Amino acid sequence: AQKVTQAQTEISVVEKEDVTLDCVYETRDTTYYLFWYKQPPSGELVFLIRRNSFDEQNEISGRYSWNFQKSTSSFNFTITASQVVDSAVYFCALSGDSGAGSYQLTFGKGTKLSVIP
Amino acid sequence: GAVVSQHPSWVICKSGTSVKIECRSLDFQATTMFWYRQFPKQSLMLMATSNEGSKATYEQGVEKDKFLINHASLTLSTLTVTSAHPEDSSFYICSALIYSGGAHNEQFFGPGTRLTVL
């Protein structure tokens, strides 16, 4: 069974601070995919990144960066110089690749980020 | 990018009535769509996998007779909440899967439908 743990339920930071959202996953699949989504108050999920299990390179996209560590089964997300618009719930998700019925996403419980001006 | 729409975006209904929610892939065909439910301040929980032309696969604990799923075309899946009750009030989100092989398989999410049952 797959599992995604986001231990931080809520985080508050002051604008311009850096913040890291933690994600730890469990899977028996050798090939799998990790995702981060942003859910603003409107409710619509915004896709941020997808990473497959064979690519451990860290990625940076503007103020966002992701640290994938297979050795610790973690896929952490850092926002640099946070802004009020970053306030949202962030979900980490996992998808396997084990044949029929795969590609289903298992979501973590989410981390609510509040950026205070 | 691929766009998925949902209709309605919100609905209020009386207890005991049925509500139909549509999920459409606007610029691509999707043989597989997923339906999720999200209660306030909680995560998305997969309800069922909808496959075009075949019966949906429901997750454990989801009543298939209460949540009817029809995926009659490659661009449309519908979720009907039958005999809705207040505890069915939730945010329902669909997604459509694009198969490209390997890491490029991706789910595209609709904007969600907020259901309130009085």
Side-chain angles (χ1 to χ4, degrees):
Chain A
Q2 298 181 329
K3 185 178 179 181
V4 176
T5 301
Q6 294 179 255
Q8 305 149 309
T9 306
E10 294 191 37
I11 300 176
S12 290
V13 298
V14 176
E15 200 171 20
K16 297 185 182 177
E17 287 185 346
D18 300 347
V19 58
T20 295
L21 309 182
D22 297 332
C23 174
V24 175
Y25 63 91
E26 295 177 30
T27 181
R28 292 182 180 178
D29 291 337
T30 53
T31 302
Y32 52 89
Y33 309 98
L34 295 162
F35 303 78
W36 275 95
Y37 291 90
K38 174 182 180 180
Q39 189 177 41
S42 64
E44 184 165 1
L45 282 177
V46 177
F47 167 81
L48 296 178
I49 190 172
R50 175 182 60 247
R51 172 68 73 223
N52 77 50
S53 52
F54 296 111
D55 183 0
E56 287 194 70
Q57 280 191 340
N58 292 330
E59 181 157 339
I60 298 175
S61 176
R63 296 185 296 107
Y64 296 168
S65 61
W66 291 269
N67 185 339
F68 178 25
Q69 299 259 350
K70 236 174 155 176
S71 60
T72 56
S73 297
S74 65
F75 186 44
N76 297 337
F77 172 34
T78 297
I79 302 175
T80 303
S82 60
Q83 299 175 2
V84 173
V85 292
D86 296 327
S87 297
V89 179
Y90 291 86
F91 290 99
C92 180
L94 169 68
S95 172
D97 188 20
S98 51
S102 60
Y103 313 122
Q104 292 179 354
L105 283 169
T106 299
F107 284 86
K109 291 186 181 298
T111 298
K112 182 179 181 180
L113 173 65
S114 299
V115 181
I116 303 165
Chain B
V3 179
V4 176
S5 70
Q6 279 185 244
H7 178 80
S9 55
W10 60 270
V11 57
I12 300 173
C13 69
K14 293 182 179 180
S15 186
T17 60
S18 294
V19 175
K20 180 185 284 187
I21 302 170
E22 294 184 347
C23 176
R24 294 182 185 273
S25 54
L26 297 185
D27 49 1
F28 65 100
Q29 294 182 331
T31 56
T32 301
M33 292 183 174
F34 300 95
W35 286 96
Y36 297 85
R37 180 168 52 184
Q38 185 181 28
F39 291 110
K41 298 186 178 182
Q42 294 191 24
S43 186
L44 282 76
M45 297 301 296
L46 180 65
M47 298 175 67
T49 302
S50 170
N51 294 299
E52 188 269 336
S54 64
K55 290 183 178 180
T57 304
Y58 290 82
E59 294 300 301
Q60 192 172 8
V62 178
E63 300 175 59
K64 62 181 180 181
D65 294 330
K66 180 170 185 59
F67 299 99
L68 301 179
I69 292 173
N70 187 306
H71 194 158
S73 79
L74 289 172
T75 59
L76 174 64
S77 175
T78 61
L79 168 68
T80 300
V81 183
T82 62
S83 187
H85 291 285
E87 57 265 29
D88 298 322
S89 298
S90 187
F91 192 53
Y92 292 88
I93 305 173
C94 74
S95 71
L97 181 68
I98 290 184
Y99 289 106
S100 301
H104 299 289
N105 296 299
E106 186 173 345
Q107 290 186 36
F108 292 87
F109 286 85
T113 296
R114 195 165 301 281
L115 170 64
T116 301
V117 185
L118 302 177

